[in-house]
Amino acid sequence: MGLRNKVKLEFLSRPENVALARVTVATVAAEVDFNLSDIEEIKVAVSEAVSNAVIHGYEEQTNGIITLTVKLYTDRLEIIIEDAGKGIEDLNRALQPGSGSDPERMGLGFVFMKSFMDEVDVWTEVGKGTRVKLVKSLPGVCKIQNCVRN
Ligand SMILES: Nc1ncnc2c1ncn2[C@@H]1O[C@H](COP(=O)(O)OP(=O)(O)O)[C@@H](O)[C@H]1O
Ligand SMILES: [Mg+2]
């Protein structure tokens, strides 16, 4: 369906840039009548995906490239977060709660993404990188997977 707006941003894998990604997405999302809790949920999902690229994809090296693409369509908001980091060996396992390798972390990033967004798709290749697509249908639209909006 019709593309209303598109923003593409490339930034280094510095933890400070998580906030930049979050604000960018929230600014585009605010063009349509998402309510405040939708916007908060979208921001959390984006933060989790970008943090994963920084922490896991690039293992906290700050010279990796992360690309954020935000597309606002007439029926949905699509967000793509890409890194060219180490990739995920066992994706099915990574998507489950508590799968993280680091005992300090809860392993809930993908769980939050899946619960806050209507669609979450992940492509990954070991040694090549990871791409996460997050989709939320616009208020009043309910056409895609897991949509509970009315
Ligand atoms: N962009 C990424 N690059 C490499 N590995 C990733 C990436 N995103 C997630 N992972 C892997 O998936 C696991 C689960 O991610 P997540 O649910 O966010 O939990 P957490 O980040 O707390 O470990 C991570 O521990 C990591 O092993
Ligand atoms: Mg995480």
Side-chain angles (χ1 to χ4, degrees):
M1 260 228 252
L3 184 62
R4 293 174 49 140
N5 198 1
K6 175 179 171 179
V7 174
K8 191 166 177 177
L9 192 67
E10 193 181 276
F11 51 85
L12 288 182
S13 53
R14 294 159 51 110
E16 301 91 314
N17 286 337
V18 175
L20 177 72
R22 196 166 51 219
V23 167
T24 303
V25 172
T27 304
V28 176
E31 284 182 40
V32 290
D33 54 354
F34 279 118
N35 62 40
L36 279 181
S37 81
D38 285 337
I39 303 253
E40 283 310 312
E41 291 181 350
I42 293 164
K43 284 163 78 175
V44 171
V46 169
S47 298
E48 291 295 332
V50 177
S51 299
N52 280 351
V54 171
I55 296 167
H56 305 299
Y58 293 117
E59 299 174 288
E60 305 188 47
Q61 300 293 302
T62 55
N63 58 350
I65 299 281
I66 298 172
T67 307
L68 169 75
T69 308
V70 191
K71 287 178 175 175
L72 183 63
Y73 290 91
T74 47
D75 65 340
R76 68 194 184 281
L77 178 70
E78 271 188 25
I79 303 151
I80 296 176
I81 297 103
E82 290 175 270
D83 68 65
K86 71 172 187 183
I88 305 174
E89 245 169 71
D90 187 343
L91 180 58
N92 284 330
R93 180 162 176 272
L95 293 170
Q96 302 307 313
S99 67
S101 36
D102 182 348
E104 294 286 297
R105 304 181 50 79
M106 287 188 299
L108 289 176
F110 280 125
V111 173
F112 285 140
M113 289 182 240
K114 286 191 278 182
S115 76
F116 291 155
M117 303 299 285
D118 294 321
E119 193 183 319
V120 178
D121 295 308
V122 184
W123 296 266
T124 187
E125 207 180 322
V126 173
K128 290 254 169 86
T130 302
R131 178 162 95 239
V132 177
K133 179 167 119 178
L134 306 169
V135 184
K136 198 160 181 94
S137 49
L138 261 47
V141 180
C142 198
K143 282 186 190 152
I144 51 181
Q145 153 191 348
N146 304 333
C147 181
V148 290
R149 210 170 288 278
N150 49 38

